[in-house]
Amino acid sequence: MEYAIVDIETTGGHASGCGITEVAIVLHNGQEVIGRYETLVNPGVPVPVYITALTGINNSMIATSPSFDQVADKIYNLLQGRIFVAHNVNFDYSFIKYHLAEAGYNYSATKLCTVRMSRKIKPGLSSYSLGRLCAALEIPLVDRHRAGGDADATAILFSRLLEWDNKGVIMGMLKKGAGDQTLPPNLPKTDFEALPHSPGVYYFKDDKGKVIYVGKAKDLRKRVAQHFTGHNPNPQRQNFLRCIHHISFESCGTELIAFLLEALEIKRLWPKYNRAMKKYEPKFGLFVYEALDGYLRMAIGKFNKSQTAELVFSHLVEASNVLHEMVHEFDLCPELCRLGNCSSEGGCKTKGGLCPRKTDPEYYNDLVREALQEYRKQLPTFVIIDKGRTENEQSCIYVEKGHFCAMGYIHKDTDLTQIEDAKKLLKLYQGNHYIMQLIYSYAKTFPEKVLMKEYEMWDNMHN
């Protein structure tokens, strides 16, 4: 069994948008070093100033160096058939694999990470960065942040780890399905192994314990593993993996509870790497404003943070239907609601036949306020009863007048004759439009799990 110990220098932190400026490969047969290769590489893009400050590699140094395409064949042949070893292996591997593919080489290899090896074989050290690890273990490190110097130090570290490994740690890491090499370098395997195969919410944390990502899953172990498989070279993934030092989780009885808790936790913690749900907003709103003539006017428009909407909706047709119902039920003027023109000849098309403009503005405005108030009253109060985390409990979600108020777990034998009693047994939350859309969708899909306070109102709203 032979090993290729690799270190590279780059123009940035992600393979798809950055180039390689230097490559060093040290060949090892498990006993000693048997070969070495090192070269500067012209990345085809300028070297950023901060990279020059870190590595000492500048544009003039690489101006006449070969491109990666020109050394790809040499690199591929050195790596082929050997185990790929590096300190924080997924970083170096992602760059090499990506740029070999760009040069026309389909490369794949078994990997070993000397960060993870060191954590297992020499636990308890204050830091596992290459510089501090070498200082702690008295390994000479010359030309720090240059590919050759770092590769030579990593080769010495690798040799020492082979000598110190009297428990078969390295062979265990190489076994198919061991999973060590897919995990981020700073993540203890015990954190991953603690994840159950059940619904829940997981939290990725940085070295200071700060939550940097929150996710939900139907199967926690399977979903978290998906974050670490593959070699996506985009910057978010590369930076993301380097920052993960710990995982914690909260089991949930159902996937819906996990969905809701994820949304609430993202709102509460505002993690660095959660992006999509931060931007979620309802698409349409019902806006009410008073015109110069003193009449309240209603209109459907795109949701806008700068304006307060009386009601919010995901779909335009849903918003339009609600407004049409209000106009019909409360004899409102279609023109004042932007639903048609008030004909000067035929008069207003209200049931009463009297154009609101011929009434006192306050009389008409009271009708508008009554319509809005009545709509809100008709929003349903209900609970969703579903599986709990154990056989002795059931999950419960409480919605009051169309607003998510509480959720949690109750004993399986709890009698909810009065569904308002559920609110006292659950943890209170403040929901939003997104959460209610999730709950309504689930309730329509699984009506047998819904306990209603007023069945007819549910039917009126959702048929």
Side-chain angles (χ1 to χ4, degrees):
M1 188 180 296
E2 292 190 352
Y3 308 85
I5 301 164
V6 181
D7 193 90
I8 61 173
E9 301 302 331
T10 70
T11 62
H14 58 282
S16 63
C18 301
I20 295 175
T21 58
E22 192 172 32
V23 177
I25 301 172
V26 178
L27 304 181
H28 199 291
N29 65 4
Q31 303 293 326
E32 60 184 355
V33 172
I34 58 173
R36 192 177 185 281
Y37 172 77
E38 181 179 358
T39 183
L40 285 167
V41 178
N42 188 330
V45 295
V47 180
V49 173
Y50 72 93
I51 294 292
T52 298
L54 179 68
T55 66
I57 300 173
N58 56 42
N59 292 312
S60 61
M61 287 174 59
I62 59 172
T64 59
S65 298
S67 66
F68 190 88
D69 283 355
Q70 292 173 310
V71 295
D73 186 65
K74 176 73 171 179
I75 291 172
Y76 178 80
N77 287 322
L78 287 170
L79 298 178
Q80 188 66 5
R82 295 184 169 99
I83 295 169
F84 191 106
V85 181
H87 205 70
N88 188 1
V89 71
N90 288 323
F91 175 82
D92 300 80
Y93 185 82
S94 69
F95 267 88
I96 293 294
K97 182 177 177 66
Y98 178 83
H99 286 281
L100 280 174
E102 289 290 288
Y105 294 86
N106 183 19
Y107 174 66
S108 181
T110 302
K111 299 174 294 177
L112 275 176
C113 178
T114 51
V115 177
R116 301 196 67 80
M117 291 166 63
S118 300
R119 286 183 181 277
K120 288 173 174 287
I121 297 170
K122 284 290 183 180
L125 299 179
S126 60
S127 173
Y128 290 87
S129 69
L130 185 61
R132 293 184 180 179
L133 194 57
C134 287
L137 299 177
E138 298 182 347
I139 294 173
L141 177 52
V142 181
D143 288 338
R144 181 73 174 109
H145 297 302
R146 290 295 301 271
D150 287 355
D152 288 339
T154 303
I156 297 172
L157 171 63
F158 181 67
S159 294
R160 300 268 183 93
L161 292 172
L162 287 172
E163 293 175 11
W164 294 330
D165 181 21
N166 52 22
K167 296 182 178 179
V169 168
I170 295 172
M171 292 307 298
M173 293 173 70
L174 288 172
K175 285 182 180 178
K176 187 175 181 180
D180 286 82
Q181 310 315 316
T182 63
L183 299 181
N186 298 309
L187 177 66
K189 191 176 181 181
T190 52
D191 279 21
F192 177 76
E193 291 176 336
L195 295 167
H197 290 286
S198 60
V201 170
Y202 56 92
Y203 305 79
F204 291 155
K205 300 178 181 180
D206 64 14
D207 56 340
K208 295 181 176 61
K210 183 178 180 180
V211 175
I212 58 173
Y213 184 85
V214 176
K216 51 86 179 57
K218 186 176 182 179
D219 182 318
L220 281 165
R221 176 84 70 92
K222 183 178 179 180
R223 177 66 188 98
V224 170
Q226 288 172 349
H227 281 284
F228 310 142
T229 55
H231 299 284
N232 189 324
N234 69 48
Q236 180 183 357
R237 175 182 165 81
Q238 294 299 323
N239 295 331
F240 183 47
L241 295 179
R242 284 195 292 270
C243 290
I244 299 172
H245 286 250
H246 295 286
I247 304 175
S248 63
F249 68 93
E250 183 168 340
S251 293
C252 299
T254 67
E255 190 176 11
L256 175 61
I257 294 279
F259 264 106
L260 303 187
L261 184 59
E262 177 199 37
L264 292 163
E265 290 292 71
I266 290 174
K267 182 179 178 182
R268 180 176 73 89
L269 298 168
W270 211 245
K272 177 180 179 181
Y273 287 100
N274 285 100
R275 291 185 173 89
M277 200 174 294
K278 288 180 180 179
K279 299 177 181 178
Y280 181 85
E281 292 174 351
K283 293 181 174 61
F284 299 95
L286 174 62
F287 299 94
V288 180
Y289 61 97
E290 184 175 332
L292 292 176
D293 58 9
Y295 289 95
L296 286 179
R297 296 173 182 259
M298 295 199 290
I300 301 297
K302 289 187 177 180
F303 182 80
N304 189 328
K305 279 186 177 180
S306 63
Q307 294 178 291
T308 301
E310 294 293 327
L311 303 170
V312 293
F313 306 90
S314 294
H315 305 287
L316 181 59
V317 65
E318 178 189 4
S320 298
N321 287 342
V322 168
L323 186 54
H324 274 95
E325 288 174 11
M326 286 184 179
V327 168
H328 177 73
E329 293 296 325
F330 292 89
D331 222 14
L332 304 180
C333 175
E335 185 171 329
L336 295 182
C337 298
R338 293 189 179 180
L339 294 179
N341 294 323
C342 185
S343 171
S344 57
E345 294 183 5
C348 189
K349 301 297 183 182
T350 62
K351 289 185 295 185
L354 181 65
C355 179
R357 291 195 177 98
K358 296 179 181 178
T359 66
D360 180 70
E362 275 308 306
Y363 172 78
Y364 179 78
N365 293 347
D366 284 342
L367 289 179
V368 173
R369 296 186 188 102
E370 183 183 353
L372 291 168
Q373 185 177 9
E374 192 62 29
Y375 178 83
R376 293 192 184 100
K377 281 183 182 179
Q378 291 182 10
L379 294 173
T381 295
F382 61 95
V383 295
I384 295 177
I385 303 295
D386 212 329
K387 292 187 299 184
R389 298 162 298 184
T390 67
E391 293 182 358
N392 294 322
E393 69 178 16
Q394 53 191 354
S395 62
C396 183
I397 297 167
Y398 180 78
V399 173
E400 186 173 68
K401 294 189 180 300
H403 294 281
F404 167 70
C405 293
M407 72 176 180
Y409 302 92
I410 57 179
H411 194 273
K412 67 176 183 177
D413 297 326
T414 301
D415 183 12
L416 291 180
T417 305
Q418 300 294 324
I419 66 172
E420 293 90 340
D421 294 341
K423 189 175 180 181
K424 304 171 186 176
L425 304 173
L426 305 172
K427 185 175 180 179
L428 299 180
Y429 292 97
Q430 184 174 359
N432 55 32
H433 179 70
Y434 172 72
I435 285 176
M436 279 310 304
Q437 291 305 304
L438 291 174
I439 293 173
Y440 279 141
S441 177
Y442 192 85
K444 289 172 71 175
T445 305
F446 302 101
E448 70 278 5
K449 299 179 181 180
V450 180
L451 179 61
M452 298 293 302
K453 181 180 180 182
E454 299 176 14
Y455 292 89
E456 69 279 6
M457 292 183 179
W458 177 269
D459 292 339
N460 289 338
M461 287 183 60
H462 296 283
N463 281 343

